[in-house]
Amino acid sequence: MASQLMLTQFTNSKKLIHEEQAGFRKGYRTTDNIFILDTVISKYLDKKRDYTKAFDKVRHEQLFQELSKLDLHGKDLRLLQNLYWNQTACMRVDGECSDYTSIGRGVRQRCVMSPYLFNYYSELILRELENEKNQICR
């Protein structure tokens, strides 16, 4: 709970998330989230893109490089990194495990910090797209 509070306060104090991103944020009504969900679904249907695996696309290395550029340092950053660095997994088929492989992307399922990390990561992508758009329009 303390880690969630720390990440929430840090995100809010640095204004890391655009106002349009209402998901999982205090002070936004359910109707705000429903509107955003409806918009995402409409865009999905329009563009035929699959957003169902979006949480699995977060690249750990890129996320933590960006977080280290901010004022999130020391034990707070190490705490987050320790949750993600050097993760491995195997698949069990007919009772036998495959070789372990490293996991370099995705946020943890059912982790209270995952929505915040996902929001920040998606914000990075949106800013990058905005920068590219501005460079093209020049």
Side-chain angles (χ1 to χ4, degrees):
M1 189 62 145
S3 298
Q4 180 184 3
L5 180 61
M6 172 273 305
L7 195 55
T8 302
Q9 289 173 340
F10 179 78
T11 299
N12 291 339
S13 70
K14 297 294 180 184
K15 298 190 186 303
L16 298 177
I17 306 296
H18 272 88
E19 288 301 314
E20 292 84 2
Q21 255 197 95
F24 311 104
R25 294 180 61 203
K26 185 177 179 179
Y28 287 88
R29 301 179 314 256
T30 303
T31 54
D32 297 329
N33 294 329
I34 291 170
F35 172 76
I36 289 173
L37 182 59
D38 182 59
T39 303
V40 168
I41 289 170
S42 296
K43 288 185 182 220
Y44 165 74
L45 293 173
D46 289 344
K47 300 201 182 222
K48 304 283 191 226
R49 290 188 179 173
D50 184 5
Y51 293 108
T52 59
K53 299 290 183 181
F55 274 65
D56 296 336
K57 302 298 182 191
V58 174
R59 296 177 194 271
H60 299 165
E61 189 171 332
Q62 183 182 11
L63 175 65
F64 291 114
Q65 282 175 356
E66 293 300 322
L67 286 173
S68 68
K69 290 178 187 176
L70 303 171
D71 292 335
L72 183 64
H73 293 290
K75 67 179 179 180
D76 296 328
L77 182 59
R78 283 194 308 275
L79 177 126
L80 292 172
Q81 287 174 325
N82 286 336
L83 288 172
Y84 288 92
W85 281 164
N86 300 321
Q87 286 185 39
T88 59
C90 70
M91 291 181 23
R92 184 171 296 175
V93 179
D94 294 330
E96 293 191 29
C97 287
S98 67
D99 292 336
Y100 279 84
T101 185
S102 62
I103 301 171
R105 355 179 266 193
V107 290
R108 298 170 79 86
Q109 294 180 6
R110 295 181 295 279
C111 177
V112 296
M113 292 183 288
S114 291
Y116 300 102
L117 294 172
F118 178 77
N119 278 354
Y120 181 66
Y121 189 78
S122 62
E123 184 69 24
L124 293 173
I125 293 170
L126 292 173
R127 287 182 185 183
E128 189 175 309
L129 290 172
E130 194 172 293
N131 287 340
E132 286 180 19
K133 176 184 154 193
N134 291 337
Q135 289 177 0
I136 291 171
C137 293
R138 287 183 192 174

